Amino acid sequence: MKAEIVATGTELLLGETLNTSAHYLTGKMSSLGIEVDYHTTVGDNPERLEQVLRQGIGRSDLLITTGGLGPTADDLTKELVAKVLNLKMELDTSSLDQIKQFFGRRKAPMPLSNEKQAYFPKGSKILPNPIGTAPGAIIETMGKTVIILPGPPFEMRPMFDNFAWPELQRILGPQSERMNERVLKVFGMGESAIEEVLGELMSLPNLTMALLAKRAEMHIRLVARSTETKSGEAKEALKRAEEEIRRRLGDKVFGCDQETMIGIVGQTLINKHLTIATAESCTGGLLGAALTQEPGSSDFYLGGVVSYSNSLKKGILGVREETLNTFGAVSEEVAIEMAEGIRSKTGSDLAISTTGIAGPGGGSDKKPVGLVFVGFATPEGVHAEKFQFYGERESVRQLTVQAALNGVRQHILSSERRQQSGDG
Amino acid sequence: MKAEIVATGTELLLGETLNTSAHYLTGKMSSLGIEVDYHTTVGDNPERLEQVLRQGIGRSDLLITTGGLGPTADDLTKELVAKVLNLKMELDTSSLDQIKQFFGRRKAPMPLSNEKQAYFPKGSKILPNPIGTAPGAIIETMGKTVIILPGPPFEMRPMFDNFAWPELQRILGPQSERMNERVLKVFGMGESAIEEVLGELMSLPNLTMALLAKRAEMHIRLVARSTETKSGEAKEALKRAEEEIRRRLGDKVFGCDQETMIGIVGQTLINKHLTIATAESCTGGLLGAALTQEPGSSDFYLGGVVSYSNSLKKGILGVREETLNTFGAVSEEVAIEMAEGIRSKTGSDLAISTTGIAGPGGGSDKKPVGLVFVGFATPEGVHAEKFQFYGERESVRQLTVQAALNGVRQHILSSERRQQSGDG
């Protein structure tokens, strides 16, 4: 199946908005084994948009559009798809009800213009939009499939994942070639170091392997192609490769596929019935924000202190004046006292602290920008780890959060090992 | 002048690489007053790439390509541009020398395949590549301009800025129309509400106005076109429109152009010599993270408490057990006691608190998901504002941060007004 993606929106052609949707959708097509031949971006201009839609529907089996579903007169995607496919526009009363409810929840009457959002090309299957007022649609006609999605990525993504994806799977059927993929996520090793350790694994005959550098982690992406009926072999090849990679990289592999560092740490804390607290300086609240990102975080996260000023380090956390004066706020000693302080203040099982120089200013020869100490206080004792990160302020802060979470993960792994070997 | 941008590279169609180049170039075209009508991305497939180039050269005055300049057989951009324009490929000996020098600096002989990178369509003006081995080119023929740039953004951007930009300015001449633009940023009003208030302003004859919904704010983008010599009039039209919009929307307009909510709030706090502290529940640290995003934040941000659990609300912030029991953790009363608590604990001038139901669970009929209270403690007193946000967990949290920052901004604005009118 050959596909193309058409984004409409004048803001995309003014350099205001980056088209992340084409990137997102093309990755999804790739996993489904659908070849994407073109991305096209076109403004909210009826003639040009119509011409692009006509060309796309002519040359591709699947056309996915994003944008142009708003209530205003220049939002024309559905209308022009209908024109190109020779379909009438019809009111979908259930969509209209939902749009009215959307405004009802906001205690506002629905503006008349929004009624337009409940009209679709005849024969459309509606893709609901729980977040906004623009439902999407999927149309199958004359051997072609058109999927119409809204422009804002936070509306488009859940609509695609929850409603369009299953439709595509149905349309493809069991005999189409899929990508069987596995992404292994690594923290604490760079691209070349991983390449060196993996060596000949990088070019196995039956699967492709690619390294992708993300902001605070590395991803190893394994892909083996097969039809759904022969997916057993492909999955076996993936499994063998994964085992070998994990054997070589050990604890550096922290997760796979949709797993995130915070997801793994949170789940582990819940499973072990452990609570955690934070004392943050250079991360300014980002670590707490990460720990509370997923629902259910109140089961393990008690809270913390953002001790951005020294007076809070002393006043709430009980860091000693002497320690601050002797070693400075960015030091192993202060990281340790911060972690101890928040642990005793909150009565949590574990506590983590961060102190560092996020930059761009504030660095010195002895304490350069990117120097970070992460403190860990646990029932078994307290210690701090030193890191030297590189990059801009936000990277240093994100890397610090990731290092702190990874430290928690490794602490729990090693206490497990001690218990298993009978030392604990 | 009408332009389009064509990116070639199979990696862009696999979801591995995000096409940031089209976004970058389109912003540059926008400032030059060049209308970009299309972005197209196509793989390294000779037939499809040729067809896209032919169509682009046919319908646009200016075609900019990125990618397909590598040494391998599937890098075909220059060859296919030559084919479409009926031009021969010719060796540029000075480019060849530079490619050889590039390898020389790396103490490696130039692979034969790289010679290909020194061939260009006849009549090309070469755009040097100081970073890589792929020079670009600009071709002016039969009233059309084609600019050929390399794919990697770190090679493309300096080549465009240093070599292609001056060529475009020359081609456009002093009488060409440029864009004069202004972006006004709004918090606390939705798209349709703004449209209603702006009414006839949305369609003034001498400028275009567009509304863009961002996650936690709305942008109003004003554009007036003019030649460089007549830019005074255009700027005057922008100024008049801006004044009228600000008059109608009042304080809802929080900034413009590159300004951000946190940037404005931070700068205002610094100017007024005010310090601030935070007590966060539902935002879990995001508010502190926002306040510390920019360097220099230690001048106004003292720190705060993430009181995710009730025990921390009581223990560190001094929220009364009775208040929690009577009104619940998500209540106006608790927001007020949290803000008061952190203000007296830190001695800050201002304090903000957040408590709410970020979801997706935890909602009830009386306290639905998205219900948030933001508390403000200031020298003039303490109060809390109630918000009902919609969307997923992360949206609710981001909106809460923005609402809290906006509250600080509005507090400072209104104390200024009180002082000016002699009330304070």
Side-chain angles (χ1 to χ4, degrees), chain B residues 287-398:
Chain B
L287 182 53
L291 284 163
T292 57
Q293 195 176 298
E294 300 296 329
S297 45
S298 51
D299 290 349
F300 57 84
Y301 183 55
L302 299 184
V305 168
V306 181
S307 56
Y308 217 59
S309 59
N310 280 349
S311 66
L312 259 78
K313 288 189 184 75
K314 290 181 285 185
I316 305 187
L317 294 173
V319 173
R320 286 172 304 161
E321 175 102 41
E322 199 195 326
T323 316
L324 284 165
N325 290 342
T326 315
F327 303 102
V330 178
S331 63
E332 190 182 344
E333 291 76 7
V334 167
I336 285 177
E337 291 191 18
M338 285 171 69
E340 277 178 329
I342 194 67
R343 183 163 181 263
S344 78
K345 196 93 195 177
T346 61
S348 63
D349 299 310
L350 311 176
I352 11 178
S353 67
T354 65
T355 180
I357 298 162
S364 66
D365 280 356
K366 262 187 91 178
K367 296 189 176 177
V369 168
L371 175 69
V372 170
F373 293 92
V374 177
F376 299 92
T378 74
E380 287 123 52
V382 58
H383 75 284
E385 284 177 36
K386 181 181 173 179
F387 297 89
Q388 178 63 55
F389 296 124
Y390 300 91
E392 50 183 3
R393 182 177 179 85
E394 209 45 36
S395 288
V396 170
R397 284 163 35 111
Q398 292 287 355

Side-chain angles (χ1 to χ4, degrees), chain B residues 95-241:
Chain B
S95 293
L96 185 62
D97 285 349
Q98 273 166 36
I99 297 169
K100 281 182 178 162
Q101 281 166 27
F102 179 92
F103 283 96
R105 284 195 298 275
R106 284 164 175 67
K107 319 259 179 258
M110 183 189 83
L112 250 185
S113 58
N114 286 77
E115 204 172 296
K116 178 170 174 296
Q117 297 186 299
Y119 280 82
F120 299 90
K122 191 178 157 78
S124 291
K125 188 175 281 186
I126 310 303
L127 306 173
N129 186 341
I131 293 164
T133 60
I138 178 163
I139 305 159
E140 293 170 77
T141 179
M142 302 180 296
K144 305 280 182 176
T145 303
V146 179
I147 298 179
I148 296 173
L149 300 170
F154 54 90
E155 297 184 21
M156 185 281 290
R157 291 179 187 196
M159 184 185 292
F160 179 82
D161 292 347
N162 298 323
F163 304 110
W165 176 271
E167 293 290 331
L168 278 172
Q169 284 199 308
R170 173 185 58 76
I171 294 169
L172 287 168
Q175 287 311 311
S176 72
E177 272 204 335
R178 309 289 164 91
M179 295 267 212
N180 301 275
E181 62 176 331
R182 186 80 165 163
V183 177
L184 298 177
K185 300 184 175 178
V186 177
F187 182 77
M189 279 180 96
E191 187 163 359
S192 11
I194 295 179
E195 256 182 7
E196 222 169 286
V197 176
L198 296 189
E200 87 292 353
L201 288 181
M202 297 289 296
S203 46
L204 289 182
N206 48 352
L207 52 76
T208 61
M209 193 181 301
L211 299 186
L212 301 169
K214 304 283 167 177
R215 193 168 216 167
E217 55 199 53
M218 288 292 307
H219 291 185
I220 305 173
R221 184 169 182 270
L222 307 170
V223 176
R225 288 167 170 272
S226 74
T227 62
E228 202 158 14
T229 41
K230 288 193 178 169
S231 67
E233 274 170 52
K235 281 178 186 147
E236 187 53 38
L238 283 183
K239 202 178 142 218
R240 278 196 309 273

Side-chain angles (χ1 to χ4, degrees), chain A residues 95-171:
Chain A
S95 293
L96 186 61
D97 285 348
Q98 275 165 35
I99 297 169
K100 283 182 177 159
Q101 280 166 27
F102 179 94
F103 284 95
R105 284 194 299 274
R106 285 164 170 68
K107 319 257 180 261
M110 184 189 82
L112 250 186
S113 58
N114 286 78
E115 202 172 300
K116 178 170 174 298
Q117 298 186 300
Y119 279 81
F120 299 90
K122 190 177 157 80
S124 291
K125 189 176 281 185
I126 310 303
L127 306 173
N129 186 341
I131 294 164
T133 58
I138 178 164
I139 305 158
E140 294 170 76
T141 179
M142 303 182 292
K144 306 280 182 177
T145 303
V146 179
I147 298 179
I148 295 172
L149 301 171
F154 55 89
E155 296 184 21
M156 185 282 290
R157 292 179 186 197
M159 184 186 291
F160 179 83
D161 292 346
N162 297 324
F163 303 111
W165 175 270
E167 293 290 330
L168 278 172
Q169 285 201 306
R170 173 187 57 76
I171 292 167

